[in-house]
Amino acid sequence: MPQTRNTVTLHGTPLRIWSALVDRDQRRAWGPLIELDATDRLGKTESSFFVNGWSRPIRTPASVDRLDKPRCFAWSCGLRFVFELEERFELSGDDGGTLMTHSVAVKGALGYLFASFMLGRLRLLVIEADERFATYLRWRVGRSAPGNASAAWTRRGKRKAR
C-alpha cells in the first residue's frame, strides 16, 4: 500500500501528546488534515475535509480503527476497495520527550492508480500538519504553566506603581 511517513520528536510525555491527538477541541485547535466527529471511541464516525475553492466541507463516513492509549491512534475513511485513506499516529518515549511517527496510506484501486500523483502532495500535507501540531503543543505549554500570566501581570503592576 502506498504511504508517506514523517517522524518528529515532540516535547512532552506520550500521554500529553495523546490527549492533544484525540481530544476533539484540541484537534480543532491545531487543524489536522481531516476532522473527525468522534475520536474517543473505536468504531464508526464521520469525517470532514475542505477542498480549495469549495465553500462547504466534504463529509464522509470514517472509522476509528485503533485507540491504544497512549501508544497508537489510527483511523480511516473512504470507500473500501475503491479509495481509502488511513492515518496513523504512533507514539513512543518517556517524560523526556515523545517520538511521534505520523503516516498516511492510500488503499484501493484508485489509491494505487493515483498514488504517484498524490504521495508527493500528501507528504507535504503531513509535514505541515506535524509542524502545526508541534507549534500547538509549544503554545499549550506556555499557556498552561501555573502562575505565569499572573506573575507577569503583578511584576508589570509593581513597576508602574513605583
Side-chain angles (χ1 to χ4, degrees), residues 36 43 45 47 60-65 74-78 84-87 107:
L36 295 174
T45 185
S47 65
T60 64
S63 174
V64 176
D65 303 322
W75 65 272
S76 58
C77 69
E84 193 173 5
L85 186 76
E86 179 187 73
E87 186 172 30
K107 300 178 184 177

Side-chain angles (χ1 to χ4, degrees), residues 61-125:
S63 174
V64 176
D65 303 322
R66 188 153 180 218
L67 204 56
D68 182 17
K69 184 178 183 175
R71 297 289 171 216
C72 184
F73 171 60
W75 65 272
S76 58
C77 69
L79 297 171
R80 191 175 172 127
F81 303 117
V82 178
F83 180 81
E84 193 173 5
L85 186 76
E86 179 187 73
E87 186 172 30
R88 175 181 297 264
F89 297 91
E90 296 175 14
L91 306 174
S92 61
D94 54 19
D95 292 343
T98 300
L99 186 69
M100 180 181 80
T101 302
H102 180 191
S103 63
V104 177
V106 291
K107 300 178 184 177
L110 290 178
Y112 286 107
L113 185 63
F114 294 113
S116 61
F117 298 113
M118 294 177 57
L119 285 180
R121 176 68 177 143
L122 203 54
R123 172 123 179 98
L124 293 175
L125 290 172

Side-chain angles (χ1 to χ4, degrees), residues 5-71:
R5 180 182 304 249
N6 188 42
T7 302
V8 294
T9 302
L10 302 169
H11 298 286
T13 65
L15 190 57
R16 182 173 158 259
I17 306 301
W18 170 268
S19 63
L21 283 173
V22 176
D23 182 68
R24 187 173 181 195
D25 293 332
Q26 289 191 57
R27 283 182 65 84
R28 208 175 279 142
W30 62 270
L33 298 174
I34 298 175
E35 286 197 30
L36 295 174
D37 289 351
T39 55
D40 57 348
R41 63 183 183 277
L42 288 172
K44 295 182 180 186
T45 185
E46 292 280 318
S47 65
S48 60
F49 60 95
F50 287 90
V51 175
N52 286 341
W54 292 15
S55 60
R56 299 173 77 190
I58 296 173
R59 306 263 316 148
T60 64
S63 174
V64 176
D65 303 322
R66 188 153 180 218
L67 204 56
D68 182 17
K69 184 178 183 175
R71 297 289 171 216

